[in-house]
Amino acid sequence: MPSYEQLREILDPATTVLLTVECQQGVVGTESALPELAEEARSSGALANVARLVIAAHHSGVQVVHAVAERRPDGRGANRNARLFRAAERLPVQQLSGTRAVRIAPPIEVADEDLVVRRLHGLSPLAGTGVDPLLRNLGCRTLLVTGVSANVAIPNAVFDAVNLGYTAVVPADAIAGVPADYTPAMVRNTLALVATVASTQDVLGVWKRPRGA
């Protein structure tokens, strides 16, 4: 884990963006297409920790970006080149544009100044979605990555962020995947090699103390 001083330098509110990944009703909500993942996100406290981080970001002046995965009813533009995509087409809950399934799930609060970026394709909230130029226009240097899943979208986001030149920070208790023991293994053996790993409380502690204190 990084020291307080190291984390404080990395997470300067002026150059940090908090990214929530697929924290939407149809993924982590009570009517999820993926109930096992939704249960893990909630029972582990990961979703609650994302909500805590979002509130702190709002109070600290940190920009929040919510990345949502959705599809058109006719499926145009959606991937079909992997087993995951084909399985998603058969799920009883579809992440259809404009429906409840693609709304940000409670207890996460969306503020007027938040950006909600929606994608119709792929596995990553960054690749080919237009998020990168948004981050650069916001002056982002550090991307704080939260949400689901630790199996696919989170590592995709972290790798893409690093490849694009951002410093990635992962609050290990604000991401979730299945099975439950997969997430700490992913953090320890993969994400820790390319990102700064911290806890939600570490991040909150940095943002709560005034700069220069």
Side-chain angles (χ1 to χ4, degrees), residues 8-28:
R8 186 173 175 81
E9 182 177 355
I10 295 171
L11 291 174
D12 183 345
T15 56
T16 298
V17 169
L18 169 59
L19 179 71
T20 77
V21 180
E22 297 182 29
C23 292
Q24 57 204 73
Q25 293 274 20
V27 176
V28 296

Side-chain angles (χ1 to χ4, degrees), residues 58-172:
H58 292 157
H59 290 163
S60 303
V62 173
Q63 178 67 53
V64 178
V65 176
H66 304 282
V68 173
E70 59 183 48
R71 60 184 286 123
R72 288 167 50 111
D74 60 11
R76 287 181 182 272
N79 288 67
R80 295 183 178 84
N81 58 336
R83 176 183 171 190
L84 176 65
F85 301 122
R86 296 190 293 273
E89 290 180 345
R90 300 191 296 272
L91 291 173
V93 177
Q94 293 290 305
Q95 313 299 316
L96 298 181
S97 301
T99 66
R100 174 182 170 84
V102 297
R103 297 176 189 168
I104 301 300
I108 298 171
E109 298 178 3
V110 181
D112 290 340
E113 63 268 23
D114 292 1
L115 298 176
V116 180
V117 181
R118 305 178 183 278
R119 77 177 195 274
L120 294 172
H121 64 87
L123 301 170
S124 170
L126 270 72
T129 62
V131 169
D132 178 36
L134 289 177
L135 295 178
R136 296 190 187 281
N137 288 344
L138 291 165
C140 177
R141 295 178 60 189
T142 298
L143 191 65
L144 186 68
V145 181
T146 67
V148 296
S149 73
N151 305 74
V152 179
I154 295 298
N156 262 263
V158 171
F159 292 150
D160 286 344
V162 173
N163 285 331
L164 289 166
Y166 300 102
T167 296
V169 176
V170 178

